[in-house]
Amino acid sequence: MAENEPLIRMTADEVNCLVYAFLVDSGFKHTAFSLCMEAHLENSHNFSKHIPRGELIDLLSKSLLYREVESHWKADHLAVNCKSPFSLLDPHVCSLDPPKLKSLPLPMTYTQNPILADGKRKGSPLNGDGPEKRARLDDPMDVDLYKAPDSKKPLKPKVRTQGPGDNDTDPGAVLLLSSHETEVFVCAFNPVKQSILVTGSKDAVVNLWDLPNPPAATSPNFAQAPGPPRRLEHFGAADQGDLTALHWNNEGNLVAIGSYDTVLRVCTVEGDLYFSHTQHQGPIFAVRFSKDSKWLLTASLDGTTCLWDIHKKELVRQYKAHTDCCLDVDWITDKLFGSCSADQMIHILHIDKNEPVNTFTGHSNEINQIKSNPSGTRLASCSDDMTARIWSLDDIETRKRPTPDAANGAIPGLSAPPATSDDLDKPVILTGHNHSVSTIAWCPNHVPGTNEIVATSSFDGTARLWDSVTGACLSVFNDHKRPVYALKFSPAGRWLATGSGDGWLYVYDVQTRTVVWSWFAGYDKPGVFEIDWQAGEGVDRIALALECRNVAVIDVLKVPAFQKK
């Protein structure tokens, strides 16, 4: 009999792979990466197997069902009519009486809609660490649950509908593109063919839109909706393909796509696959073409940065300087670039060298973004340590690298410690935010004789303008009520647009530092995840990647508020 019994086998390696998949699905990317390294999952034959989304929960549910059957495999009436709930952690005791539900008091504060956390949007909603968020009557995102002081009736909920924040803008100035079936995370206008817009969503769908030319500013007509988009059919499982990054080359004929499924894809402007590669062993967080379009950089959760030869369609070099996930990369020149990581370091790398030519240290938490200024003389960074920093790039290749901190050990990628770091300039530190600083951008309009301006946005719900030389905060924009996810200057640098989890797009005048115009995405799934701004001959428009599964395209020339300035 024993020989015919099925063999039930469960190994620690299988459990580790299931837990790893659960952590990835739940957005705990850094914890998943730590488990992968500690358990050496990359050496497991199970690691390459496809694990369906939610497999661990599904198996636990089946286990719970088995426990229920096991407990009720009786002939007595009590077990058949049991109304007592089952739990993974609590013992089951049969009962005929249903459990009593506790009455909950009305909440005294509102809870923000959770946004799935990933490497690029890796913040949970503000909680006890941030300022208290009480419902206010003048806040269109809030529903007042209290009774009016002089009335026995509760106040009616105040919910604003989708549309412009002013009464002067015709809703026809905003096109809504609705072919995506899940949250839209990324969007990017083609830099040459101004009618082309590419968008990517959580379910691994990339849409290529061909937008009609907008009517002239003097025309009473509004832009017409485009035809159905071309869907790029080059992805695997939708549950592992959340889109993280899009970037066009300067010629506008290729677009690079970063995704959670670890595969790099580069497609043509027609939507055909140019090439793909599986070199990375973790989600790809950033993709960036060089200014001469010869090279492509990718940054990944696996802690590496890859340099690709676009014309040869091959990997040139994989940099392993970081000790934690690499979150962003940016080109400084056509041969120099920077990379930043959760290991709190910024490395300056060369396309012909394996090791960093220099390293910036000083941040005390994960570095979310880095951006080189247009002249390639300075680098801006922003971090979860609530600061942003401006680093000088003068003589960066000839400077001595910083001495490693004795408490932290050697600097990754450094073969031998340098003698001194006295000649390394200290950064300009921008302080003022009270939560993670998620995005940073240089204002493209730099008037000679003045200091360059940088903008930052944070999970504290604010955006700020800074003097990049003195470090002075020039303005604080605090109109948003939830974390600010997106930040974009207009191409000429006159306007600054911000998008938030509260559903609002705000556009500010950089000179007067006042709100020029606003637009609300709607109460249901309100988040604005990314902004791109296009300006050219007869065209001035903004694209928004929205949590409500739509893409909004705003014709700036049809918004009266912009024409009055």
Side-chain angles (χ1 to χ4, degrees):
M1 293 291 293
E3 295 179 355
N4 297 327
E5 291 180 356
L7 177 63
I8 299 177
R9 182 173 62 89
M10 181 175 64
T11 66
D13 184 69
E14 289 174 317
V15 173
N16 283 339
C17 288
L18 282 170
V19 173
Y20 173 85
F22 168 78
L23 292 172
V24 172
D25 293 343
S26 302
F28 301 105
K29 310 301 178 184
H30 303 161
T31 306
F33 180 76
S34 298
L35 174 63
C36 179
M37 294 297 101
E38 292 291 334
H40 302 288
L41 294 183
E42 67 276 8
N43 299 325
S44 167
H45 69 281
N46 292 314
F47 193 54
S48 60
K49 294 180 180 178
H50 171 66
I51 300 177
R53 192 178 185 92
E55 181 69 4
L56 179 61
I57 300 300
D58 186 57
L59 290 174
L60 290 173
S61 298
K62 291 177 181 178
S63 173
L64 197 60
L65 181 62
Y66 176 83
R67 285 188 60 190
E68 181 180 8
V69 173
E70 183 183 53
S71 298
H72 290 164
W73 192 255
K74 305 173 184 178
D76 60 283
H77 186 73
L78 177 65
V80 174
N81 293 281
C82 173
K83 292 182 173 61
S84 183
F86 270 79
S87 169
L88 283 173
L89 302 180
D90 298 324
H92 176 74
V93 179
C94 287
S95 173
L96 286 174
D97 299 321
K100 294 183 179 180
L101 298 177
K102 295 181 180 180
S103 58
L104 298 177
L106 291 175
M108 294 300 290
T109 60
Y110 75 84
T111 303
Q112 299 185 35
N113 296 331
I115 302 297
L116 288 177
D118 59 42
K120 304 299 288 184
R121 299 168 193 85
K122 55 182 176 47
S124 56
L126 294 177
N127 47 34
D129 296 332
E132 186 181 22
K133 298 284 187 175
R134 294 190 179 275
R136 301 186 308 166
L137 294 179
D138 59 349
D139 188 348
M141 283 299 298
D142 295 338
V143 177
D144 198 309
L145 300 175
Y146 306 109
K147 292 182 179 180
D150 300 325
S151 173
K152 296 182 179 180
K153 296 181 179 181
L155 294 172
K156 293 182 179 180
K158 190 175 183 179
V159 179
R160 188 184 185 96
T161 58
Q162 184 185 79
D166 60 1
N167 296 322
D168 298 328
T169 304
D170 191 304
V174 182
L175 279 177
L176 287 180
L177 313 181
S178 56
S179 287
H180 285 286
E181 297 178 356
T182 57
E183 296 94 324
V184 185
F185 285 156
V186 286
C187 61
F189 283 113
N190 187 295
V192 177
K193 300 182 179 181
Q194 60 186 25
S195 66
I196 301 298
L197 172 68
V198 63
T199 58
S201 55
K202 180 183 175 182
D203 58 359
V205 170
V206 176
N207 282 335
L208 200 66
W209 305 86
D210 191 354
L211 304 174
N213 289 328
T218 56
S219 171
N221 300 320
F222 294 97
Q224 298 299 308
R230 175 164 183 178
R231 179 171 293 188
L232 277 61
E233 304 291 349
H234 308 299
F235 287 85
D239 59 357
Q240 297 179 358
D242 298 18
L243 271 297
T244 60
L246 298 170
H247 193 246
W248 291 97
N249 66 353
N250 281 341
E251 284 73 23
N253 59 350
L254 294 175
V255 60
I257 304 167
S259 167
Y260 268 118
D261 68 359
T262 77
V263 181
L264 167 66
R265 296 174 179 86
V266 178
C267 293
T268 67
V269 69
E270 292 80 19
D272 299 319
L273 184 64
Y274 180 72
F275 88 96
S276 65
H277 208 286
T278 58
Q279 181 70 24
H280 283 297
Q281 300 300 307
I284 297 173
F285 289 153
V287 291
R288 197 85 73 227
F289 282 103
S290 61
K291 299 172 185 178
D292 61 8
S293 299
K294 293 181 180 179
W295 315 103
L296 175 68
L297 294 173
T298 54
S300 170
L301 178 72
D302 64 15
T304 70
T305 300
C306 285
L307 174 69
W308 306 87
D309 186 314
I310 292 301
H311 300 301
K312 295 181 180 179
K313 304 180 183 180
E314 64 182 21
L315 176 70
V316 176
R317 188 168 283 106
Q318 186 168 20
Y319 301 86
K320 300 180 179 181
H322 291 292
T323 59
D324 207 334
C325 57
C326 189
L327 295 175
D328 199 18
V329 288
D330 197 32
W331 289 95
I332 300 168
T333 68
D334 286 331
K335 292 188 176 181
L336 279 178
F337 64 91
S339 67
C340 67
S341 167
D343 66 8
Q344 308 171 19
M345 293 186 181
I346 300 170
H347 291 307
I348 307 301
L349 300 123
H350 194 285
I351 62 173
D352 296 327
K353 299 178 182 179
N354 291 321
E355 293 187 354
V357 299
N358 221 304
T359 297
F360 294 146
T361 61
H363 278 295
S364 59
N365 210 325
E366 298 180 7
I367 304 173
N368 297 314
Q369 269 193 351
I370 53 173
K371 288 288 182 290
S372 171
N373 66 345
S375 62
T377 57
R378 291 191 294 166
L379 188 74
S381 62
C382 62
S383 167
D384 279 358
D385 65 9
M386 301 186 289
T387 73
R389 298 177 185 232
I390 310 297
W391 312 83
S392 172
L393 296 174
D394 293 337
D395 303 320
I396 192 64
E397 294 187 71
T398 58
R399 287 185 195 165
K400 292 182 179 179
R401 295 179 62 193
T403 303
D405 191 313
N408 296 328
I411 296 174
L414 187 62
S415 56
T420 181
S421 61
D422 293 341
D423 55 349
L424 186 66
D425 293 338
K426 294 182 180 180
V428 177
I429 303 177
L430 313 180
T431 59
H433 287 293
N434 56 29
H435 208 289
S436 301
V437 186
S438 54
T439 54
I440 192 164
W442 292 89
C443 181
N445 181 22
H446 177 218
V447 179
T450 64
N451 295 335
E452 289 179 292
I453 293 176
V454 294
T456 58
S457 67
S458 167
F459 279 22
D460 65 9
T462 71
R464 294 172 181 249
L465 289 178
W466 308 83
D467 184 312
S468 65
V469 175
T470 66
C473 182
L474 304 177
S475 185
V476 180
F477 304 129
N478 54 10
D479 298 282
H480 290 293
K481 308 304 178 188
R482 293 182 183 171
V484 181
Y485 296 127
L487 183 79
K488 189 72 175 182
F489 281 102
S490 62
R494 184 178 181 185
W495 319 111
L496 174 67
T498 61
S500 164
D502 63 9
W504 282 94
L505 166 79
Y506 286 106
V507 181
Y508 300 91
D509 187 311
V510 175
Q511 294 299 320
T512 64
R513 292 151 197 173
T514 56
V515 176
V516 177
W517 188 72
S518 61
W519 183 80
F520 182 54
Y523 188 73
D524 183 39
K525 292 184 177 295
V528 179
F529 287 141
E530 190 157 279
I531 303 171
D532 198 18
W533 199 314
Q534 177 191 64
E537 187 177 351
V539 172
D540 193 354
R541 52 192 173 191
I542 304 169
L544 307 177
L546 302 175
E547 185 187 2
C548 64
R549 307 178 181 182
N550 291 331
V551 177
V553 179
I554 301 165
D555 187 349
V556 174
L557 299 178
K558 295 294 183 180
V559 177
F562 292 104
Q563 316 315 317
K564 296 176 182 178
K565 300 296 181 179

